[in-house]
Amino acid sequence: MLAIKFTMLVSVAGVFVLCLAVAESKQYPNGSGVGKTTRYWDCCKTSCAWSANTGAVSAPARSCAADGKKTIDANTQSGCNGGNAYVCNDQRPFVKNGQAYAFAAANVNGLPMTSMCCACYKLTFTNTAVANKNLIVQVINTGSDLASNQFDLQIPGSGFGIFTAGCPKQWPTTPAVNWGAQNGGVDKRSKCSGLPKDLVKGCQFRFDWFKNADNPAVKFERVRCPKPLTNKSGCKRNDD
């Protein structure tokens, strides 16, 4: 628990007394623990882009039209289920002012979706080539296939996982985009250039900042969401 302590002198019946005050950082129930990370990019509209799933937030997370740029109405069905809404291109990992950020699907400490949607977590990696590096993520998706305390990082070119229909529908290019293996995605940085151009930098993040780490373990703690993430998602929790 982070605390900032300061002192002051006050007069009580003519005698100066030393007083101690403590300002504590905001604490979140079930907001910390240890877990693991995986990675994916399936192009589907995220769970937290549906109003019914989000709980008390400023707005559902953004979803986008097929261009990955234009924000689409929150009631639009996912492209993975026959609709026209997809994950937005800018909901990919990035580095700003030396801090790395990303979006993720997650299952945190058994919390319901309404408590996880749009919450942010600081992940500190504990093994592999990224040990001791940290990444701040905002949860904008969930997943029935996620284990407890698992953060599935949204990184383009990292594999579709269980939803294989979304990206080919969103990006019906000829020749077809080389998305790599269903689980794992592309296996070389050079293959990132085969993705849609707005996703290339997000794919390269995996090989550059993330050092192509294979599902590293983490310590995590919930933190107040920073603007570089909420500006892209359009979603902020009321309890932040």
Side-chain angles (χ1 to χ4, degrees):
M1 177 174 62
L2 176 65
I4 302 172
K5 299 181 180 181
F6 59 93
T7 59
M8 61 181 175
L9 290 173
V10 297
S11 178
V12 180
V15 178
F16 283 98
V17 179
L18 184 67
C19 294
L20 178 69
V22 178
E24 296 180 353
S25 63
K26 186 175 178 66
Q27 300 296 296
Y28 299 97
N30 299 310
S32 63
V34 295
K36 70 173 185 177
T37 60
T38 46
R39 61 181 188 271
Y40 82 107
W41 186 273
D42 60 14
C43 297
C44 301
K45 176 179 178 177
T46 63
S47 302
C48 300
W50 293 100
S51 302
N53 296 337
T54 54
V57 299
S58 59
R62 289 174 56 236
S63 56
C64 284
D67 64 359
K69 299 176 182 178
K70 182 181 179 182
T71 302
I72 201 165
D73 186 89
N75 295 313
T76 306
Q77 182 57 260
S78 171
C80 293
N81 292 312
N84 299 301
Y86 301 90
V87 67
C88 299
N89 296 343
D90 62 0
Q91 291 168 354
R92 51 177 168 75
F94 61 98
V95 178
K96 184 173 183 178
N97 297 327
Q99 175 63 56
Y101 300 96
F103 295 91
N107 179 356
V108 182
N109 284 329
L111 292 172
M113 191 183 306
T114 52
S115 296
M116 287 189 297
C117 272
C118 300
C120 288
Y121 294 85
K122 179 181 178 180
L123 310 182
T124 301
F125 298 102
T126 57
N127 63 359
T128 75
V130 289
N132 300 316
K133 299 182 79 171
N134 74 79
L135 177 68
I136 298 177
V137 303
Q138 185 174 33
V139 176
I140 60 171
N141 204 5
T142 55
S144 59
D145 58 330
L146 298 183
S148 179
N149 292 350
Q150 180 177 348
F151 292 85
D152 204 9
L153 307 177
Q154 288 186 183
I155 305 177
S158 288
F160 298 155
I162 62 176
F163 294 105
T164 60
C167 291
K169 182 183 176 187
Q170 183 182 7
W171 306 103
T173 56
T174 304
V177 175
N178 180 12
W179 295 100
Q182 180 178 346
N183 294 304
V186 299
D187 58 1
K188 296 179 181 179
R189 187 183 190 278
S190 60
K191 293 183 180 179
C192 291
S193 61
L195 271 60
K197 65 178 182 179
D198 289 337
L199 302 181
V200 171
K201 287 185 178 179
C203 177
Q204 291 172 340
F205 173 95
R206 172 181 152 201
F207 297 92
D208 297 338
W209 188 93
F210 200 59
K211 300 184 181 296
N212 199 25
D214 189 19
N215 300 344
V218 291
K219 294 185 297 183
F220 66 87
E221 60 177 323
R222 186 175 164 191
V223 296
R224 183 173 285 110
C225 280
K227 287 185 178 180
L229 289 171
T230 58
N231 286 346
K232 294 179 184 294
S233 69
C235 184
K236 184 176 180 179
R237 292 194 60 83
N238 294 353
D239 61 357
D240 237 6

mmCIF file of all heavy atoms in Angstrom, residues 18 54 73 87 91 98-99 115 122 132 145 175 199 210:
data_model
loop_
_atom_site.group_PDB
_atom_site.id
_atom_site.type_symbol
_atom_site.label_atom_id
_atom_site.label_comp_id
_atom_site.label_asym_id
_atom_site.label_seq_id
_atom_site.Cartn_x
_atom_site.Cartn_y
_atom_site.Cartn_z
ATOM 1 N N LEU A 18 3.177 17.025 18.045
ATOM 2 C CA LEU A 18 3.532 16.542 16.718
ATOM 3 C C LEU A 18 2.416 15.642 16.205
ATOM 4 O O LEU A 18 2.035 14.672 16.856
ATOM 5 C CB LEU A 18 4.840 15.742 16.793
ATOM 6 C CG LEU A 18 5.403 15.241 15.459
ATOM 7 C CD1 LEU A 18 5.846 16.425 14.597
ATOM 8 C CD2 LEU A 18 6.584 14.310 15.723
ATOM 9 N N THR A 54 -20.846 -3.822 -18.948
ATOM 10 C CA THR A 54 -19.820 -2.921 -18.440
ATOM 11 C C THR A 54 -19.994 -2.465 -17.005
ATOM 12 O O THR A 54 -19.041 -2.011 -16.385
ATOM 13 C CB THR A 54 -19.746 -1.668 -19.321
ATOM 14 O OG1 THR A 54 -21.053 -1.078 -19.411
ATOM 15 C CG2 THR A 54 -19.259 -2.010 -20.707
ATOM 16 N N ASP A 73 -21.849 2.293 -33.514
ATOM 17 C CA ASP A 73 -22.831 2.262 -32.434
ATOM 18 C C ASP A 73 -22.643 1.027 -31.556
ATOM 19 O O ASP A 73 -22.383 -0.082 -32.043
ATOM 20 C CB ASP A 73 -24.246 2.264 -33.025
ATOM 21 C CG ASP A 73 -25.313 2.368 -31.956
ATOM 22 O OD1 ASP A 73 -25.685 3.496 -31.589
ATOM 23 O OD2 ASP A 73 -25.766 1.302 -31.468
ATOM 24 N N VAL A 87 -12.912 -4.863 -33.296
ATOM 25 C CA VAL A 87 -11.971 -4.174 -32.423
ATOM 26 C C VAL A 87 -11.355 -3.019 -33.218
ATOM 27 O O VAL A 87 -11.192 -3.108 -34.442
ATOM 28 C CB VAL A 87 -10.880 -5.142 -31.913
ATOM 29 C CG1 VAL A 87 -9.982 -5.617 -33.046
ATOM 30 C CG2 VAL A 87 -10.049 -4.513 -30.802
ATOM 31 N N GLN A 91 -6.546 -0.025 -30.558
ATOM 32 C CA GLN A 91 -6.591 -0.795 -29.316
ATOM 33 C C GLN A 91 -5.529 -1.898 -29.362
ATOM 34 O O GLN A 91 -5.772 -3.056 -29.041
ATOM 35 C CB GLN A 91 -8.009 -1.332 -29.086
ATOM 36 C CG GLN A 91 -8.983 -0.210 -28.775
ATOM 37 C CD GLN A 91 -10.441 -0.619 -28.812
ATOM 38 O OE1 GLN A 91 -10.787 -1.734 -29.184
ATOM 39 N NE2 GLN A 91 -11.319 0.294 -28.444
ATOM 40 N N GLY A 98 7.930 6.583 -22.656
ATOM 41 C CA GLY A 98 8.685 5.544 -21.962
ATOM 42 C C GLY A 98 7.863 4.481 -21.272
ATOM 43 O O GLY A 98 8.420 3.488 -20.791
ATOM 44 N N GLN A 99 6.532 4.666 -21.217
ATOM 45 C CA GLN A 99 5.666 3.674 -20.568
ATOM 46 C C GLN A 99 4.946 2.851 -21.634
ATOM 47 O O GLN A 99 4.413 3.390 -22.604
ATOM 48 C CB GLN A 99 4.632 4.359 -19.664
ATOM 49 C CG GLN A 99 3.611 3.422 -19.031
ATOM 50 C CD GLN A 99 4.232 2.392 -18.099
ATOM 51 O OE1 GLN A 99 4.932 2.751 -17.160
ATOM 52 N NE2 GLN A 99 3.977 1.119 -18.362
ATOM 53 N N SER A 115 -17.403 -5.929 -13.086
ATOM 54 C CA SER A 115 -16.370 -5.365 -12.216
ATOM 55 C C SER A 115 -15.017 -5.272 -12.903
ATOM 56 O O SER A 115 -14.153 -4.521 -12.470
ATOM 57 C CB SER A 115 -16.226 -6.200 -10.939
ATOM 58 O OG SER A 115 -17.398 -6.158 -10.167
ATOM 59 N N LYS A 122 -1.589 -2.776 -13.621
ATOM 60 C CA LYS A 122 -0.151 -2.726 -13.882
ATOM 61 C C LYS A 122 0.378 -4.151 -13.783
ATOM 62 O O LYS A 122 0.277 -4.790 -12.738
ATOM 63 C CB LYS A 122 0.558 -1.828 -12.866
ATOM 64 C CG LYS A 122 2.064 -1.747 -13.065
ATOM 65 C CD LYS A 122 2.704 -0.856 -12.008
ATOM 66 C CE LYS A 122 4.218 -0.818 -12.165
ATOM 67 N NZ LYS A 122 4.856 0.042 -11.130
ATOM 68 N N ASN A 132 10.857 -8.061 -14.921
ATOM 69 C CA ASN A 132 10.987 -6.769 -14.251
ATOM 70 C C ASN A 132 10.502 -5.591 -15.092
ATOM 71 O O ASN A 132 10.468 -4.461 -14.591
ATOM 72 C CB ASN A 132 12.428 -6.506 -13.791
ATOM 73 C CG ASN A 132 12.915 -7.553 -12.810
ATOM 74 O OD1 ASN A 132 12.186 -7.935 -11.895
ATOM 75 N ND2 ASN A 132 14.134 -8.044 -12.995
ATOM 76 N N ASP A 145 -12.542 -19.002 -22.359
ATOM 77 C CA ASP A 145 -11.413 -19.923 -22.352
ATOM 78 C C ASP A 145 -10.264 -19.473 -21.462
ATOM 79 O O ASP A 145 -9.214 -20.114 -21.413
ATOM 80 C CB ASP A 145 -10.887 -20.120 -23.779
ATOM 81 C CG ASP A 145 -10.471 -18.809 -24.428
ATOM 82 O OD1 ASP A 145 -11.060 -17.757 -24.086
ATOM 83 O OD2 ASP A 145 -9.576 -18.826 -25.288
ATOM 84 N N PRO A 175 -3.863 -10.794 -52.216
ATOM 85 C CA PRO A 175 -3.959 -12.093 -51.541
ATOM 86 C C PRO A 175 -4.295 -11.939 -50.067
ATOM 87 O O PRO A 175 -4.185 -10.849 -49.517
ATOM 88 C CB PRO A 175 -2.549 -12.660 -51.717
ATOM 89 C CG PRO A 175 -1.676 -11.457 -51.790
ATOM 90 C CD PRO A 175 -2.476 -10.429 -52.547
ATOM 91 N N LEU A 199 -1.984 -2.060 -38.359
ATOM 92 C CA LEU A 199 -1.715 -3.033 -37.292
ATOM 93 C C LEU A 199 -0.250 -3.426 -37.215
ATOM 94 O O LEU A 199 0.162 -4.128 -36.289
ATOM 95 C CB LEU A 199 -2.565 -4.289 -37.506
ATOM 96 C CG LEU A 199 -4.087 -4.102 -37.559
ATOM 97 C CD1 LEU A 199 -4.778 -5.441 -37.753
ATOM 98 C CD2 LEU A 199 -4.600 -3.405 -36.308
ATOM 99 N N PHE A 210 8.349 -6.221 -26.280
ATOM 100 C CA PHE A 210 7.938 -7.453 -25.600
ATOM 101 C C PHE A 210 8.931 -8.600 -25.812
ATOM 102 O O PHE A 210 8.825 -9.650 -25.174
ATOM 103 C CB PHE A 210 6.544 -7.856 -26.095
ATOM 104 C CG PHE A 210 5.801 -8.799 -25.196
ATOM 105 C CD1 PHE A 210 5.521 -8.463 -23.885
ATOM 106 C CD2 PHE A 210 5.351 -10.020 -25.673
ATOM 107 C CE1 PHE A 210 4.808 -9.327 -23.053
ATOM 108 C CE2 PHE A 210 4.650 -10.900 -24.864
ATOM 109 C CZ PHE A 210 4.374 -10.547 -23.555
#
